[in-house]
């Protein structure tokens, strides 16, 4: 059901479906590799909130089965670059597997992540990717993942296998989108009217937390996964 690209068709099909490890309504497995990882800016602003209210759950560290070219551009307002990583849907010789984290999320949390990544505007597109889980017994799982269409210009930039704390410290996020936050909190049983949602949002965005949501303080340091 996801967007198609001109990447290798053998990218998917080996991992077992997320439904085999679903946890109640948390039926979507998502592979995050940048600002949505634990400790980074958009985890604290969005995905972490969903996890706090039970709409998302960290599952495991992981890495892509296949190599991809991931770039991290220097923040530049004139070029509309924020310092967020871009995972290209192609790999170059010498590229490595990309390290990240696997979360289980429910329907509304997945919609929230789609908004964070600009799916509706075409900024990113999503497709399934096979991810090797780092567990006592490693396995493959088919995860939703967010990609940028590769171009010769983007492929010419240096590639990284992990988005690091140093990258995160340079990231310049957009203002917090309360509509996305509402999706991270809302449930199908509870109406998402402003009277219901505003107290919940206010509890997450106290003045003491505001700065922490704008810029990362610290994060688990990404590391190479061993098999």
């Amino acid at each position: 059901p996801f967007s198609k690209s001109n990447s290798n068709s053998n990218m998917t099909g080996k991992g077992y479906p997320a439904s085999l490890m679903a946890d109640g309504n948390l039926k979507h497995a998502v592979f995050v590799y940048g600002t949505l990882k634990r400790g980074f800016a958009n985890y604290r602003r969005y995905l972490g909130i969903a996890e706090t209210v039970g709409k998302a759950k960290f599952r495991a560290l992981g890495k892509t089965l296949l190599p991809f070219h991931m770039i991290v551009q220097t923040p530049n307002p004139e070029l509309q670059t924020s310092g967020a990583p871009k995972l290209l849907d192609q790999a170059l010789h010498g590229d490595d597997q990309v390290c990240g984290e696997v979360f289980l999320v429910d329907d509304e949390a997945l919609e929230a992540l789609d908004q964070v990544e600009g799916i509706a505007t075409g900024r990113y597109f999503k497709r399934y990717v096979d991810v090797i889980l780092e567990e006592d017994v490693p396995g493959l799982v088919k995860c939703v993942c967010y990609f940028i269409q590769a171009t010769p210009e983007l492929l010419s930039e240096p590639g990284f296998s992990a988005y690091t704390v140093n990258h995160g410290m340079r990231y310049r996020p957009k203002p917090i989108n309360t509509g996305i936050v509402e999706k991270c909190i809302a449930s199908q049983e509870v109406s998402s009217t402003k009277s219901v949602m505003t107290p919940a949002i206010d509890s997450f965005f106290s003045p003491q937390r505001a700065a922490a949501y704008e810029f990362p303080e610290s994060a688990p340091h990404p590391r190479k996964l061993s098999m």
Side-chain angles (χ1 to χ4, degrees):
F2 296 158
S3 301
K4 295 181 180 179
S5 74
N6 58 7
S7 301
N8 259 334
S9 60
N10 67 357
M11 173 177 159
T12 62
K14 296 180 180 179
Y16 58 81
S19 60
L20 294 184
M21 65 175 189
D23 186 351
N25 290 329
L26 309 182
K27 56 187 178 182
H28 306 286
V30 181
F31 178 71
V32 299
Y33 51 84
T35 64
L36 288 165
K37 293 192 300 182
R38 294 172 300 164
F40 289 83
N42 284 330
Y43 172 83
R44 291 199 298 269
R45 291 151 58 99
Y46 303 118
L47 184 54
I49 292 175
E51 189 170 24
T52 298
V53 298
K55 299 178 69 60
K57 179 181 180 181
F58 171 76
R59 180 62 175 80
L61 297 175
K63 63 180 178 181
T64 59
L65 175 65
L66 299 180
F68 292 100
H69 196 66
M70 182 175 74
I71 64 173
V72 184
Q73 297 172 308
T74 302
N76 186 328
E78 293 183 1
L79 299 177
Q80 297 185 332
T81 57
S82 64
K86 295 179 179 179
L87 186 61
L88 309 185
D89 60 346
Q90 290 184 21
L92 298 176
H93 180 71
D95 280 335
D96 206 344
Q97 296 154 293
V98 174
C99 299
E101 299 178 347
V102 174
F103 282 83
L104 297 176
V105 303
D106 69 5
D107 291 338
E108 292 95 347
L110 183 62
E111 291 176 8
L113 297 183
D114 287 352
Q115 285 188 249
V116 171
E117 303 293 4
I119 294 297
T121 62
R123 183 159 54 96
Y124 285 73
F125 68 89
K126 63 181 179 180
R127 62 177 296 171
Y128 288 111
V129 61
D130 289 328
V131 175
I132 304 170
L133 302 182
E134 185 187 56
E135 297 182 315
D136 292 338
V137 180
L140 282 178
V141 63
K142 193 184 302 295
C143 296
V144 174
C145 188
Y146 296 93
F147 284 88
I148 290 282
Q149 188 74 42
T151 66
E153 180 182 7
L154 294 177
L155 286 168
S156 70
E157 300 203 17
F160 298 88
S161 62
Y163 186 75
T164 68
V165 174
N166 287 336
H167 290 138
M169 292 300 292
R170 293 191 292 270
Y171 174 61
R172 294 297 178 263
K174 296 178 180 179
I176 293 170
N177 185 320
T178 55
I180 298 177
V181 175
E182 288 181 0
K183 287 186 180 296
C184 292
I185 300 172
S187 69
Q188 295 177 346
E189 293 78 20
V190 178
S191 170
S192 59
T193 61
K194 188 171 183 62
S195 61
V196 172
M197 299 310 303
T198 299
I201 293 174
D202 289 343
S203 70
F204 282 110
F205 295 113
S206 64
Q208 292 79 9
R209 293 190 179 203
Y213 279 103
E214 290 300 326
F215 298 100
E217 298 164 353
S218 62
H221 207 294
R223 57 193 175 90
K224 243 347 186 185
L225 303 180
S226 58
M227 292 299 294

